[in-house]
Amino acid sequence: MMQLHENLFSQLKDQGVVVLPDLIISEQLSAIRNAFECQLQQPSFNAWQGYHQTDRRRLMVDQLLTVEQGFVDVVLLSLLQILVKRYLGESACLQEAKGWQSLPFKDDFHPLHRDEWYCRDHYNEQKKPMSLKLGLYLDDVDSGAFAYIPGSHRDVRDEHGIIDEQSPPTLVTGKAGTVFLFDPEGLHQQSFPNFKKRNAAFFHFFTSDIVLSQNFIRWGRFRQLLIESSYLHSCTPEQLAFLGIGRQPSTHPIEIQHFRWARRSINGLVRGINEGQYWFQRVQARLNRR
């Protein structure tokens, strides 16, 4: 077992991405998939829970630790905790849990990139902070797979000071239940074309003292983590700490900028719909009494 841990960690450190061995049992995977599909039945609107459409090709499901016990169990896998803490330090914990359905597409709509999550101006003169993401396929993936340029997380440059973005990427294909870890500082993307709808969950780990990017906060890309309390009944203190329980409250104000120009009109429309529903129910109840 120790040799397995060492091999996985060495690959993660050297390549920036590693596929973990089968960790999720079929019953757990089935429960996770069903819960995720339920969230995709309707958009999140007013008091309805559901998905958010973040762009034309993806439907986002946020706060997965409020959706199904199995998502909490995935985060608490012992192998995952060992690798995350060894890579990031003992104080690392879960910061985000979200997933999305990727719709079919043929073009390179989401090209190679590094995730924007920490404030690069703040860390311009000091060591960059580190993080890890866990990916979990909820469907079989043979197209539109996660792609990663091996070694690009280490910022290795050629003699001209430029990273070779044309080097062949590692494609993570696999059955539903495939789990992989990657360093989001490396170049990655969803490969194209993607021939069918694909559901996947992603979990972001880093320490809570990192200064976050304003763009990450102001455009709603970072959500303070929520957890259904009943899912924590059997957790040990160490597991609770890994889930982020006990960390200091966030000092980053959330100021969502989406549709700011139309916010008053949208809010008025929502209140109008609610008012119309109220009067419809009153009329319906009066007619039923006759």
Side-chain angles (χ1 to χ4, degrees):
M1 183 62 70
M2 290 297 296
Q3 187 60 47
L4 173 63
H5 292 175
E6 191 63 38
N7 291 342
L8 293 172
F9 181 77
S10 295
Q11 183 178 346
L12 176 61
K13 186 176 180 181
D14 181 59
Q15 301 293 311
V17 61
V18 61
V19 178
L20 304 183
D22 293 339
L23 298 172
I24 304 175
I25 61 176
S26 58
E27 294 82 0
Q28 183 184 36
L29 179 61
S30 179
I32 287 174
R33 295 178 66 181
N34 290 338
F36 196 90
E37 282 288 350
C38 286
Q39 296 298 305
L40 293 169
Q41 298 304 306
Q42 63 186 19
S44 179
F45 178 74
N46 203 22
W48 303 343
Q49 290 186 332
Y51 67 83
H52 307 271
Q53 185 158 10
T54 54
D55 55 48
R56 291 181 61 206
R57 309 289 172 50
R58 289 183 295 188
L59 308 179
M60 179 73 70
V61 177
D62 205 6
Q63 303 295 359
L64 293 182
L65 301 194
T66 67
V67 171
E68 161 60 36
Q69 172 80 56
F71 288 116
V72 176
D73 295 339
V74 169
V75 174
L76 297 179
L77 290 167
S78 59
L79 175 59
L80 175 65
Q81 292 185 64
I82 291 170
L83 293 174
V84 169
K85 289 183 178 181
R86 186 172 177 187
Y87 196 90
L88 301 177
E90 287 294 320
S91 61
C93 62
L94 181 67
Q95 303 285 351
E96 288 187 292
K98 62 179 66 173
W100 56 77
Q101 179 176 90
S102 296
L103 304 176
F105 60 86
K106 295 181 179 180
D107 58 317
D108 187 10
F109 89 98
H110 197 212
L112 285 169
H113 64 280
R114 291 183 169 88
D115 285 359
E116 181 183 0
W117 60 281
Y118 65 86
C119 180
R120 296 186 183 273
D121 290 337
H122 180 82
Y123 293 99
N124 187 40
E125 301 297 331
Q126 52 187 300
K127 184 179 178 180
K128 296 177 182 177
M130 296 171 62
S131 73
L132 279 175
K133 281 191 171 181
L134 175 75
L136 166 61
Y137 287 157
L138 303 182
D139 295 311
D140 297 346
V141 173
D142 50 23
S143 69
F146 177 79
Y148 195 95
I149 303 295
S152 57
H153 66 301
R154 291 185 277 111
D155 202 22
V156 178
R157 300 174 184 273
D158 63 16
E159 63 272 18
H160 303 292
I162 300 173
I163 297 172
D164 182 11
E165 299 184 10
Q166 303 304 315
S167 58
T170 295
L171 293 180
V172 180
T173 58
K175 298 291 186 181
T178 297
V179 179
F180 54 96
L181 266 176
F182 67 97
D183 187 330
E185 186 64 15
L187 292 164
H188 61 280
Q189 69 173 135
Q190 183 176 359
S191 61
F192 65 100
N194 182 44
F195 294 120
K196 58 185 179 181
K197 294 179 180 179
R198 185 208 75 180
N199 296 340
F202 288 88
F203 307 85
H204 199 179
F205 302 89
F206 54 90
T207 56
S208 58
D209 59 348
I210 290 173
V211 178
L212 297 177
S213 162
Q214 284 298 306
N215 188 41
F216 192 55
I217 298 169
R218 290 170 63 86
W219 289 94
R221 294 168 58 192
F222 177 75
R223 301 292 181 88
Q224 295 172 346
L225 189 66
L226 302 179
I227 307 176
E228 164 57 44
S229 59
S230 65
Y231 299 160
L232 308 177
H233 68 281
S234 62
C235 291
T236 66
E238 182 181 21
Q239 290 174 328
L240 291 174
F242 192 65
L243 289 170
I245 306 297
R247 64 188 168 186
Q248 293 297 313
S250 173
T251 58
H252 303 289
I254 305 299
E255 184 183 351
I256 307 302
Q257 301 297 306
H258 290 295
F259 301 111
R260 191 173 186 177
W261 57 272
R263 190 172 298 166
R264 179 171 296 182
S265 299
I266 292 173
N267 290 344
L269 175 62
V270 172
R271 288 194 294 271
I273 291 173
N274 287 338
E275 186 72 9
Q277 182 185 39
Y278 165 77
W279 285 107
F280 176 80
Q281 290 173 342
R282 286 199 62 181
V283 171
Q284 187 179 48
R286 182 169 295 182
L287 291 175
N288 289 338
R289 287 196 297 265
R290 291 181 177 179

